[in-house]
């Protein structure tokens, strides 16, 4: 999985006034959980651009005073008026501990059902996967090249080599629906057929 580096500095004071002062200086108050101790730090608000405003999922490499931590974004709070980032929570990753994370799907191939006039409906754009940090995928490939009209793609069709999909077997990822135009064409063809037989 791709990683983004965030260079931060540890916070001495963690009260409301200190957090407000940080935000006024263009910094974001952050917390890192999951290690031996909870770490309070701040980082430049621009550092979060790629991590937050994207459909992709990244791990974060957090650099604090010569120490480096690998983490994932756990929670983020925005100002309801300005949409500015108010606070970020990170969760520290450990190489030997599995983590569950939502990862986007990536459609692969073209469905014959779509070529024939059907429409592809994506039901789940992200899937929860469980894996060791080094095995977390950037995306889950979904090969639709076999799908005819009316077919559904269930999570059971996804190859799970280094990660496990944390959804029930009957979870639909996407389906090829019969479009109105294709349905009308089929009905018209059936009517024409009936007339010929008469």
């Amino acid at each position: 999985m791709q990683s983004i580096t965030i260079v931060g500095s540890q916070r001495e004071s963690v009260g409301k006034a200190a957090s407000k002062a940080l935000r006024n200086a263009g910094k974001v108050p952050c917390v890192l959980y999951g290690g031996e101790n909870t770490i309070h730090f701040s980082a430049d608000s621009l550092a979060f651009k790629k991590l937050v405003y994207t459909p992709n999922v990244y791990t974060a490499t957090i650099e604090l005073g010569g120490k480096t931590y690998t983490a994932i974004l756990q929670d983020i709070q925005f100002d309801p008026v300005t949409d500015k980032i108010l606070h970020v929570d990170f969760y520290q990753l450990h190489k030997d501990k599995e983590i569950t994370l939502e990862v986007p799907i990536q459609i692969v191939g073209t469905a014959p059902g779509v070529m024939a006039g059907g429409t592809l409906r994506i039901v789940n754009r992200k899937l929860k996967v469980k894996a060791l940090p080094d095995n977390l995928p950037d995306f889950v490939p979904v090969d639709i090249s076999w799908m005819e009209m009316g077919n559904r793609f269930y999570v059971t069709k996804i190859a799970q080599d280094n990660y496990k999909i944390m959804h029930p077997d009957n979870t639909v990822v996407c389906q090829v629906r019969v479009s109105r135009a294709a349905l009308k064409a089929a009905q018209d063809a059936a009517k024409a057929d009936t007339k010929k037989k008469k």
Side-chain angles (χ1 to χ4, degrees), residues 34 40 43 51 67 191:
H40 296 268
L51 194 64
K67 285 188 176 180
K191 279 178 192 169

Side-chain angles (χ1 to χ4, degrees), residues 153-157 160 165-173:
F153 192 111
Y154 292 96
V155 288
T156 47
K157 285 200 169 288
Q160 301 174 42
I165 301 229
M166 305 301 286
H167 290 270
D169 289 352
N170 63 350
T171 302
V172 176
V173 181

Side-chain angles (χ1 to χ4, degrees), residues 86-160:
L86 293 179
H87 193 272
V88 180
D89 288 353
F90 287 98
Y91 185 79
Q92 192 175 339
L93 298 178
H94 303 275
K95 279 188 176 290
D96 56 345
K97 279 187 187 174
E98 287 188 320
I99 182 93
T100 302
L101 197 62
E102 276 201 336
V103 174
I105 64 159
Q106 186 178 76
I107 300 294
V108 179
T110 305
V114 172
M115 301 286 280
T119 53
L120 180 70
R121 179 172 172 256
I122 298 171
V123 182
N124 284 290
R125 292 188 179 275
K126 285 187 174 182
L127 294 173
K128 270 187 186 171
V129 302
K130 188 177 185 179
L132 291 169
D134 287 349
N135 293 335
L136 284 169
D138 289 321
F139 56 83
V140 176
V142 174
D143 187 355
I144 62 167
S145 54
W146 59 274
M147 293 179 77
E148 301 289 349
M149 269 195 233
N151 284 166
R152 291 178 172 195
F153 192 111
Y154 292 96
V155 288
T156 47
K157 285 200 169 288
I158 296 168
Q160 301 174 42

Side-chain angles (χ1 to χ4, degrees), residues 45-56:
S45 58
L46 293 173
F48 297 95
K49 232 178 178 178
K50 226 179 169 185
L51 194 64
V52 178
Y53 308 106
T54 173
N56 302 325

Side-chain angles (χ1 to χ4, degrees), residues 117-119 149-150 176-184 186:
T119 53
M149 269 195 233
V176 177
R177 298 174 91 174
V178 180
S179 66
R180 283 182 185 157
L183 191 63
K184 192 176 183 303

